[in-house]
């Protein structure tokens, strides 16, 4: 079937818009690539100019340190003091002045004799000049890779090549000690801490941008680096061992370029090693090999490409692309209004159906509530009738039993049996009357404190008269459990209904019913206290009645058992026992819990204790 004309026009316009957007994105991508390449070239040229400044400055600083050592050496010679040799105190003052001038960089001075054998050493620390033993100062001589060959050749350069001690890098500055006759009588060696010198004199990290210069030797070991933990590391193997999960393939390319070229620039992916978890960034780098004394180093300078190259042309292209995309979005939005209207109609219809369903659910809930209230009204009427009829039945029993006890007062055995009949009938009359009382608290009972243990024992002794002989009732009741605000007769009604259910569950076969009362443990108390702000400070006692009957059938919800007229006993049950129990429990804010077991059922009632 052929599309309608309006639909065809919309499709053509949409296709045209997508083609325009695609062309725009391709153009922007090409422009960004060109901008990026130009920015890289410009950044590398800037880095190379900055690198020349750094290398010249590095050479100049080390040369100045060497000249300072030579000047100091000359001040100690007899040629500088022709009148009289220097006193030891004056000599030490000159040494202290020299070492103190750059204490953080050269705080150690070693003197060798003309044969290159250790003669003396001094260290300047905390404003004091101290003389060092050969054992302490000798490590700086032993670690020097250049000294032995230079002394053997008879010509000293201004400084040694680099070496490492205790994760720090050094070069030794040299100065011969020349006598008045021009003979070399010894040598002064001053270890120069390259890291401290570089940070103090050349590199001061005050920039907001990432990037820094560093120095490596011919073995690609880091000699100078702003992060001290990197000093002495091989830039590939040691870092790979330190960070096994990082990709260092571009660092290998950088190392290859630096080992094969005297100078150069390049871009590469690397990491900022001053971060705890280094992140991969695109860097611009420039490097140059230099010789300072016996040291042969490559000085490198790097920076974060994306931090330094937010050029205006890039912002212009971003602005252009945003304008094109906004225009396309506006056009598409206009064309989609028709579709939106249809969706809006469907949404309104859906909301109408949801409201209708909600109304049906509310009506269903209302019907259920009316039905329940009707049941409760029927319970009230039925209860009144039952109480009236039971009282009519029990009144002649009580009266005749009392008359028989008076007539046969001399027969103690018969009187005893008649008394049991009288007490049972009287108890039945009380229980039937109390059914009317479970919906309200009796006056005068709200503030009454009862010993729950005693009330329970008395109630059990009275109710067990009705216990079938085939059922054994056991009790385990903790003493001295005080509860306030309940009527003893309400507890009798609860216990009577629960025991009746237990007896009926066991039926005619032998069985056991266990009644237990104890204070709740800390875990149980904590769970009950979370119910509301009213119960957060209360403690509880637990009354449990356990039978070994068949228990609750599978698939039956525990909450259903408390509904009025709900029964699993067919015509043998009224469905009111647990309903009465739950009503009395609600009146006193007692909590009821049914625990299913493989055999039998346990009904637990949590009763708040008297506040201490």
């Amino acid at each position: 079937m052929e599309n309608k004309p309006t639909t065809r026009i919309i499709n053509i316009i949409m296709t045209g818009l997508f083609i325009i957007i695609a062309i725009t994105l391709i153009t922007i991508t090409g422009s960004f690539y060109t901008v990026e390449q130009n920015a890289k070239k410009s950044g590398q040229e800037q880095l190379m100019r900055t690198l020349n400044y750094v290398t010249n400055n590095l050479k100049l600083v080390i040369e100045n340190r060497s000249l300072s050592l030579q000047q100091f050496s000359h001040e100690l010679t007899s040629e500088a003091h022709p009148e009289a040799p220097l006193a030891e105190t004056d000599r030490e003052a000159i040494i202290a002045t020299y070492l103190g001038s750059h204490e953080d960089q050269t705080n150690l001075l070693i003197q060798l004799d003309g044969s290159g054998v250790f003669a003396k050493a001094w260290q300047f620390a905390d404003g004091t000049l101290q003389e060092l033993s050969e054992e302490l100062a000798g490590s700086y001589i032993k670690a020097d890779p250049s000294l032995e060959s230079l002394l053997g050749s008879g010509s000293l350069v201004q400084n040694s090549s680099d070496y490492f001690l205790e994760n720090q890098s050094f070069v030794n500055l040299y100065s011969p000690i020349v006598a008045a006759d021009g003979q070399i009588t010894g040598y002064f060696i001053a270890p120069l801490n390259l890291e401290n010198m570089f940070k103090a004199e050349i590199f001061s990290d005050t920039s907001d941008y990432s990037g820094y210069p560093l120095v490596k030797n011919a073995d690609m070991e880091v000699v100078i680096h702003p992060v001290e933990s990197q000093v002495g590391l091989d830039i590939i193997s040691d870092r790979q061992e330190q960070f096994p999960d990082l990709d260092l393939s571009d660092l290998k390319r950088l190392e290859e370029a630096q080992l094969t070229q005297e100078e150069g620039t390049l871009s590469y992916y690397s990491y900022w090693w001053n971060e705890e978890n280094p992140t991969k960034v695109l860097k611009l780098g420039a490097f140059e090999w230099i010789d300072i004394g016996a040291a042969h180093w490559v000085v490198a300078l790097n920076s974060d490409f994306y931090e330094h190259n937010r050029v205006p042309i890039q912002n212009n292209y971003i602005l252009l692309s945003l304008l094109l995309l906004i225009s396309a979005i506006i056009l598409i939005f206009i064309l989609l209004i028709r579709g939106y209207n249809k969706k809006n109609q469907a949404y309104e219809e859906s909301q109408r159906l949801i409201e209708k369903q909600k109304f049906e659910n509310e009506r269903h809930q209302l019907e259920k509530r009316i039905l329940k209230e009707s049941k409760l009204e029927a319970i009230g009427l039925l209860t009144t009738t039952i109480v009236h009829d039971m009282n009519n039945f029990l009144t002649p029993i009580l009266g005749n039993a009392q008359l028989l006890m008076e007539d046969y007062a001399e027969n103690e055995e018969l009187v005893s049996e008649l008394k049991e009949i009288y007490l049972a009938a009287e108890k039945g009359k009380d229980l039937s009357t109390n059914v009317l009382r479970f919906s309200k608290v009796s006056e005068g009972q709200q503030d009454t404190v009862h010993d729950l243990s005693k009330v329970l024992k008395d109630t059990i002794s009275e109710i067990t008269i009705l216990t079938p002989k085939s059922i054994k009732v056991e009790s385990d009741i903790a003493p001295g459990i005080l509860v306030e605000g309940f009527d003893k007769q309400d507890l009798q009604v609860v216990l009577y209904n629960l025991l009746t259910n237990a007896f009926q569950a066991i039926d005619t076969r032998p069985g056991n019913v266990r009644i237990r009362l104890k204070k709740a443990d800390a875990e149980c108390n904590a769970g009950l206290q979370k119910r509301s702000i009213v119960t957060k400070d209360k403690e509880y006692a637990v009354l449990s009645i356990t039978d070994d009957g068949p228990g609750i059938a599978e698939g039956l919800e525990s909450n259903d058992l408390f509904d009025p007229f709900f029964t699993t006993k067919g015509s043998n049950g009224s469905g009111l026992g647990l309903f009465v129990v739950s009503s009395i429990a609600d009146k006193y804010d007692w909590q009821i819990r049914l625990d299913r077991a493989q055999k039998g059922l346990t009904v637990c009632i949590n009763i708040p204790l008297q506040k201490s």
Side-chain angles (χ1 to χ4, degrees):
M1 182 177 179
E2 189 175 350
N3 290 336
K4 296 180 180 179
T6 53
T7 305
R8 189 183 303 114
I9 292 173
I10 291 174
N11 291 337
I12 291 173
I13 294 174
M14 293 284 289
T15 303
L17 286 174
F18 283 126
I19 292 173
I20 292 173
I21 292 172
I23 293 173
T24 301
L25 291 176
I26 293 172
T27 303
I28 292 173
T29 302
S31 300
F32 275 129
Y33 177 77
T34 302
V35 169
E36 184 177 282
Q37 295 304 311
N38 291 336
K40 284 182 181 179
K41 183 177 179 181
S42 174
Q44 288 168 350
E45 291 174 354
Q46 179 64 33
L47 281 177
M48 183 56 75
R49 288 191 293 271
T50 306
L51 180 64
N52 291 334
Y53 165 78
V54 172
T55 54
N56 292 334
N57 203 11
L58 178 61
K59 292 177 182 178
L60 183 62
V61 170
I62 295 180
E63 183 179 352
N64 286 339
R65 295 290 178 274
S66 178
L67 290 174
S68 178
L69 178 62
Q70 294 175 18
Q71 177 64 29
F72 156 78
S73 177
H74 177 72
E75 287 183 11
L76 294 182
T77 61
S78 57
E79 184 179 353
H81 303 277
E83 303 86 5
L86 283 173
E88 185 63 26
T89 54
D90 295 334
R91 179 182 174 87
E92 290 180 355
I94 294 174
I95 295 173
T97 300
Y98 167 71
L99 294 178
S101 61
H102 299 287
E103 182 181 354
D104 59 330
Q105 303 170 28
T106 53
N107 68 339
L108 179 66
L109 181 66
I110 303 172
Q111 181 178 349
L112 307 180
D113 62 16
S115 303
V117 177
F118 177 83
K120 212 168 186 180
W122 301 267
Q123 185 176 33
F124 190 79
D126 299 327
T128 305
L129 184 67
Q130 301 173 355
E131 190 170 334
L132 292 184
S133 64
E134 182 179 1
E135 181 180 359
L136 294 175
S139 58
Y140 293 89
I141 300 175
K142 293 177 183 178
D144 189 335
S146 312
L147 181 60
E148 186 175 350
S149 60
L150 292 175
L151 290 176
S153 65
S155 60
L156 284 179
V157 292
Q158 72 175 15
N159 58 272
S160 70
S161 57
D162 55 88
Y163 63 91
F164 302 97
L165 285 176
E166 298 179 353
N167 296 325
Q168 292 184 315
S169 57
F170 296 88
V171 294
N172 284 343
L173 302 176
Y174 303 138
S175 176
I177 303 173
V178 182
D181 57 0
Q183 295 294 319
I184 296 177
T185 60
Y187 304 92
F188 281 122
I189 298 176
L192 175 62
N193 188 310
L194 295 174
E195 192 77 6
N196 292 345
M197 177 271 296
F198 196 74
K199 289 180 180 179
E201 306 294 340
I202 299 174
F203 175 68
S204 178
D205 189 12
T206 58
S207 172
D208 292 333
Y209 294 104
S210 302
Y212 47 77
L214 69 153
V215 178
K216 294 174 285 188
N217 60 22
D219 296 326
M220 290 290 109
E221 295 173 329
V222 178
V223 177
I224 299 173
H225 197 286
V227 181
E228 293 184 8
S229 60
Q230 295 292 308
V231 174
L233 297 183
D234 181 275
I235 66 168
I236 303 297
S237 59
D238 289 339
R239 284 175 176 173
Q240 193 72 74
E241 181 178 348
Q242 192 176 23
F243 301 98
D245 298 330
L246 299 186
D247 177 17
L248 303 182
S249 55
D250 259 22
L251 277 185
K252 295 178 182 178
R253 182 169 63 87
L254 172 66
E255 182 183 80
E256 182 180 350
Q258 290 177 343
L259 289 174
T260 56
Q261 302 175 32
E262 286 298 318
E263 64 179 24
T265 59
L266 73 166
S267 61
Y268 61 98
Y269 284 97
S270 183
Y271 306 85
W272 296 125
W273 305 105
N274 56 347
E275 297 177 352
E276 183 176 352
N277 297 307
T279 54
K280 196 171 187 178
V281 294
L282 178 61
K283 293 183 179 181
L284 297 181
F287 64 90
E288 178 183 1
W289 285 93
I290 60 173
D291 292 314
I292 303 178
H296 183 56
W297 293 333
V298 58
V299 182
L301 186 64
N302 55 42
S303 66
D304 190 319
F305 170 72
Y306 290 108
E307 280 190 340
H308 286 277
N309 296 285
R310 308 294 183 188
V311 293
I313 190 171
Q314 188 175 12
N315 293 334
N316 290 336
Y317 274 105
I318 293 174
L319 180 60
L320 176 62
S321 65
L322 287 175
L323 290 174
L324 291 174
L325 289 175
I326 291 172
S327 300
I329 290 171
I330 292 173
L331 290 175
I332 293 172
F333 175 77
I334 295 173
L335 295 173
L336 291 178
I337 290 178
R338 288 178 59 194
Y340 169 78
N341 288 333
K342 292 182 178 180
K343 289 182 180 179
N344 189 48
Q345 292 174 0
Y347 172 77
E348 290 177 353
E349 180 65 19
S350 174
Q351 289 296 109
R352 187 184 68 80
L353 293 175
I354 291 173
E355 289 296 326
K356 183 178 180 181
Q357 182 65 34
K358 183 178 178 181
F359 172 77
E360 293 294 334
N361 290 337
E362 290 178 351
R363 187 175 70 174
H364 177 66
Q365 293 297 326
L366 180 60
E367 289 173 351
K368 286 177 63 178
R369 187 162 61 250
I370 293 173
L371 179 60
K372 186 174 182 181
E373 289 175 356
S374 299
K375 287 183 178 182
L376 292 176
E377 184 179 356
I379 291 172
L381 294 173
L382 179 62
T383 301
T384 304
T385 303
I386 291 173
V387 170
H388 181 269
D389 291 344
M390 284 190 67
N391 284 337
N392 288 339
F393 298 148
L394 293 173
T395 299
I397 295 175
L398 288 168
N400 289 326
Q402 190 170 10
L403 289 174
L404 287 172
M405 283 190 291
E406 293 174 357
D407 292 343
Y408 296 94
E410 70 281 356
N411 190 337
E412 294 182 0
E413 184 176 352
L414 179 58
V415 169
S416 177
E417 293 177 353
L418 290 171
K419 189 174 182 179
E420 289 186 9
I421 295 173
Y422 180 85
L423 292 175
E426 189 178 51
K427 186 61 181 177
K429 186 176 181 179
D430 291 340
L431 290 177
S432 65
T433 303
N434 284 334
V435 172
L436 296 175
R437 303 172 56 258
F438 70 84
S439 61
K440 63 180 181 178
V441 179
S442 300
E443 293 183 4
Q445 296 294 335
Q446 296 90 330
D447 301 323
T448 304
V449 177
H450 295 292
D451 186 338
L452 185 60
S453 307
K454 184 177 183 305
V455 173
L456 193 58
K457 289 178 180 179
D458 294 343
T459 304
I460 292 172
S461 66
E462 295 174 2
I463 293 178
T464 49
I465 298 174
L466 307 176
T467 304
K469 294 182 179 180
S470 61
I471 298 176
K472 181 181 179 182
V473 178
E474 300 177 353
S475 61
D476 179 11
I477 300 174
I481 296 181
L482 301 180
V483 177
E484 61 184 14
F486 82 95
D487 194 316
K488 293 189 291 184
Q489 292 177 340
D490 283 335
L491 180 62
Q492 293 172 348
V493 173
V494 169
L495 199 60
Y496 171 77
N497 280 283
L498 293 179
L499 286 175
T500 300
N501 284 346
F503 298 157
Q504 292 175 349
I506 297 172
D507 204 9
T508 57
R509 58 185 177 80
N512 294 288
V513 176
R514 182 177 179 84
I515 304 171
R516 188 177 184 186
L517 177 67
K518 65 173 184 177
K519 289 187 176 180
D521 56 25
E523 182 179 357
C524 181
N525 274 327
L528 293 168
Q529 289 167 356
K530 291 179 181 178
R531 290 176 49 242
S532 71
I533 192 172
V534 177
T535 62
K536 68 175 184 176
D537 297 323
K538 292 185 178 180
E539 294 186 352
Y540 290 81
V542 180
L543 170 62
S544 62
I545 298 176
T546 304
D547 65 67
D548 54 5
I552 301 176
E554 288 294 332
L556 187 61
E557 295 294 332
S558 299
N559 290 337
D560 294 337
L561 300 177
F562 296 102
D563 289 340
F565 302 117
F566 181 87
T567 180
T568 60
K569 304 169 188 175
S571 59
N572 296 325
S574 65
L576 293 175
L578 285 179
F579 171 70
V580 171
V581 171
S582 66
S583 298
I584 292 175
D586 289 341
K587 181 169 68 172
Y588 296 118
D589 198 24
W590 298 350
Q591 299 300 308
I592 302 178
R593 187 180 75 255
L594 302 183
D595 289 343
R596 301 169 184 253
Q598 293 181 348
K599 183 180 180 182
L601 175 67
T602 298
V603 181
C604 295
I605 303 178
N606 302 309
I607 303 174
L609 297 177
Q610 178 193 13
K611 293 183 180 179
S612 56

